[in-house]
Amino acid sequence: MASTTRRPKPPNDALARMIDKCAGASHKSLAHRVNQLAVEAGLTTTYTHTSIANWCRRGMVPDWPVPRLLAQAIGERLGRPVQLAEIGMADAQTPDAAVGLDFPRDPADAVRAATSFWSSVNRRDFLTGSSFAVASFTTPVTRWLVSPADDRADHRGGARVGQADLDELRAAADEARRWDSKYGGGSWKANSVTDCLQHRAAPLLSGTFSDDVGRELFSVTAELSRLAGWTAFDVGQHEVAQRHFIQALRLARAGGDVQLGCYVLTTMAMQALLRGFPNEAIDMTQGAFARASGRAAPRVLAFTKLIEARAHARDDNAKAAASALAASELLLDRARDRVDEPAWIDFYHHARLSADAAEVFRDLQKPKESLAWNAQAAAMQPGVFTRSVGMRLAIVGTAHLQAADLDQGLALGNQAVDILARVQSSRALDYVRELNAALAPWRREPAVRDFVHRIRSELGIAA
């Protein structure tokens, strides 16, 4: 019998080239970062520099979702999103590839799509996806802009849904928001939102309810789905976050809640801009604003303009960013009486605008304007908004570094680490990474070396 010989796979030259572009990134440091990302996704891996070498030289492909984690680790080094094709692993496939990405036109189909997603989202093989594809937003955004509200929301099915059921879901959403702000998206209480969606909201959506009750049911469920997406996004689970946002947008449409749909779409835009797609974020915020004008409270529209400003800043368009900020401020002035405002937008006020404006001008490399806006922002209490305080310290610290004030930049950076070491939020750590990058001119300073060692040991941030 003739013997057969397994042909070795060719080297993965694409991966090797991408690693070469990461100045100073060793195989050891990349393996360490992949292991960190795996832990965040609920996995335990023990990759080493030898693993990276095998993927490059022998063309080996690790099990899913490691290709996505590797692309993310390289993207962090390059400062931009990296696709699987760029690292020679385009054929790596994720299970349940389409679950949660549907935006059905029919409300009944929308309920089935959402509940199918919720039943799968807690499976470990699905949760590990950490990539983000902005193209997946195209159909949902288009269909919501065409028709942001369904005609009817009544349903005849199982047990009758009553006000007590709605109150329970609203209480769950309120509690999740508080815990997320204080402890970050990785807290056990924030993550319980997905269980609430699967075990409480899903059965109610199959029940019997009138049009009025149905609209409120769909709206509060959309709010819960947006919260689940936000907490997933906060801990770096970008793919699952994206799917929660899509379902939230569809459920807001089912409830005829245009202003909640506007808020969800604005949140989706925020994810897009923070994942490196500012132009798409601009389109999404401008579309949300145009569609919801006259149908949403001024404070809701003001927040949409704020995120538009942040997207323009990431796109390095200072004039457009300043214009959007001014529009947001004018809308906030109109919202002072807080009449007919949803509870989920009560966080946005002039102090929050000032704090975000500091980030806008930091992104525009205008430290003087950034620090001036920060001076207008009210002091925030760490016990209430722990994550936000830590991120703001890192933002302002970076602005001081842009202004060549090393001492103040380091002082604020250390304060940020004090706070963020207690918060489970990969998004917050991105702000520390940005501060770390701004320290480049002072790498030889002893105090800078101490800070770099501290963020490596306490936060797991590579130098």
Side-chain angles (χ1 to χ4, degrees), residues 207-262:
T208 297
F209 42 83
S210 65
D211 184 71
D212 288 343
V213 171
R215 292 190 182 282
E216 190 172 351
L217 174 61
F218 281 121
S219 291
V220 68
T221 306
E223 186 181 347
L224 282 165
S225 190
R226 193 208 69 85
L227 280 165
W230 183 250
T231 56
F233 174 55
D234 194 44
V235 296
Q237 294 171 352
H238 304 296
E239 183 175 351
V240 72
Q242 184 174 31
R243 297 168 192 236
H244 272 303
F245 292 148
I246 290 171
Q247 298 312 307
L249 189 67
R250 183 60 188 90
L251 291 166
R253 174 172 137 170
D257 195 337
V258 178
Q259 66 179 353
L260 178 58
C262 175

Side-chain angles (χ1 to χ4, degrees), residues 9 30 37 106-107 141 206 233 251 294 350 362 383 443 447 452:
K9 294 181 178 180
L30 277 177
L37 293 171
D106 182 74
V141 171
S206 298
F233 174 55
L251 291 166
H350 282 81
R362 180 212 61 171
R443 284 296 181 206
V452 170

Side-chain angles (χ1 to χ4, degrees), residues 386-443:
T386 306
R387 178 185 55 206
S388 297
V389 174
M391 291 191 301
R392 181 170 156 194
L393 287 167
I395 291 166
V396 179
T398 304
H400 278 288
L401 294 175
Q402 291 173 347
D405 187 346
L406 175 61
D407 291 341
Q408 188 65 9
L410 273 180
L412 293 174
N414 277 296
Q415 291 178 41
V417 175
D418 290 340
I419 292 174
L420 296 179
R422 307 192 302 270
V423 175
Q424 299 180 59
S425 170
S426 64
R427 182 171 61 94
L429 299 187
D430 286 341
Y431 287 91
V432 181
R433 292 188 182 94
E434 290 163 346
L435 185 146
N436 183 39
L439 286 167
W442 300 281
R443 284 296 181 206

Side-chain angles (χ1 to χ4, degrees), residues 30-84:
L30 277 177
H32 177 66
R33 181 58 182 150
V34 168
N35 290 333
Q36 287 180 327
L37 293 171
V39 170
E40 293 176 6
L43 297 175
T44 300
T45 60
T46 56
Y47 293 111
T48 66
H49 64 285
T50 303
S51 307
I52 304 291
N54 285 336
W55 300 340
C56 291
R57 298 169 189 165
R58 299 173 60 187
M60 298 173 65
V61 178
D63 291 337
W64 189 263
V66 177
R68 288 274 177 91
L69 304 181
L70 178 61
Q72 182 179 347
I74 293 174
E76 290 173 352
R77 292 280 185 170
L78 298 179
R80 66 170 179 83
V82 170
Q83 304 301 317
L84 290 176

Side-chain angles (χ1 to χ4, degrees), residues 285-286 289 298 301-313 317-333 348-364 366 369-370 372-374 376:
T285 53
Q286 290 179 343
F289 184 86
L301 297 173
F303 184 68
T304 298
K305 279 296 178 183
L306 174 75
I307 302 307
E308 182 188 342
R310 289 180 56 174
H312 284 303
N317 189 331
K319 182 178 180 181
S323 177
L325 269 179
S328 183
E329 192 167 21
L330 285 173
L331 285 161
L332 276 181
D333 288 339
Y348 189 47
H349 39 68
H350 282 81
R352 168 64 189 269
L353 179 143
S354 297
D356 276 41
E359 181 174 355
V360 165
F361 286 99
R362 180 212 61 171
D363 289 344
L364 290 168
K366 295 180 178 291
E369 291 89 339
S370 176
W373 275 102
N374 180 66
Q376 298 180 41

Side-chain angles (χ1 to χ4, degrees), residues 133-252:
V134 74
S136 295
F137 279 155
T138 302
T139 296
V141 171
T142 300
R143 289 187 179 173
W144 184 85
L145 290 175
V146 169
S147 179
D150 289 339
D151 294 332
R152 298 183 60 178
D154 59 312
H155 184 261
R156 184 173 295 278
R160 180 166 292 279
V161 179
Q163 189 60 47
D165 299 308
L166 301 175
D167 291 343
E168 179 185 352
L169 294 182
R170 292 235 178 262
D174 291 342
E175 186 176 16
R177 275 196 300 271
R178 289 192 296 270
W179 275 76
D180 173 67
S181 294
K182 189 171 183 179
Y183 299 111
S187 71
W188 68 268
K189 185 68 76 172
N191 284 336
S192 68
V193 177
T194 56
D195 290 329
C196 181
L197 285 167
Q198 180 180 356
H199 299 296
R200 290 297 298 130
L204 294 175
L205 291 174
S206 298
T208 297
F209 42 83
S210 65
D211 184 71
D212 288 343
V213 171
R215 292 190 182 282
E216 190 172 351
L217 174 61
F218 281 121
S219 291
V220 68
T221 306
E223 186 181 347
L224 282 165
S225 190
R226 193 208 69 85
L227 280 165
W230 183 250
T231 56
F233 174 55
D234 194 44
V235 296
Q237 294 171 352
H238 304 296
E239 183 175 351
V240 72
Q242 184 174 31
R243 297 168 192 236
H244 272 303
F245 292 148
I246 290 171
Q247 298 312 307
L249 189 67
R250 183 60 188 90
L251 291 166

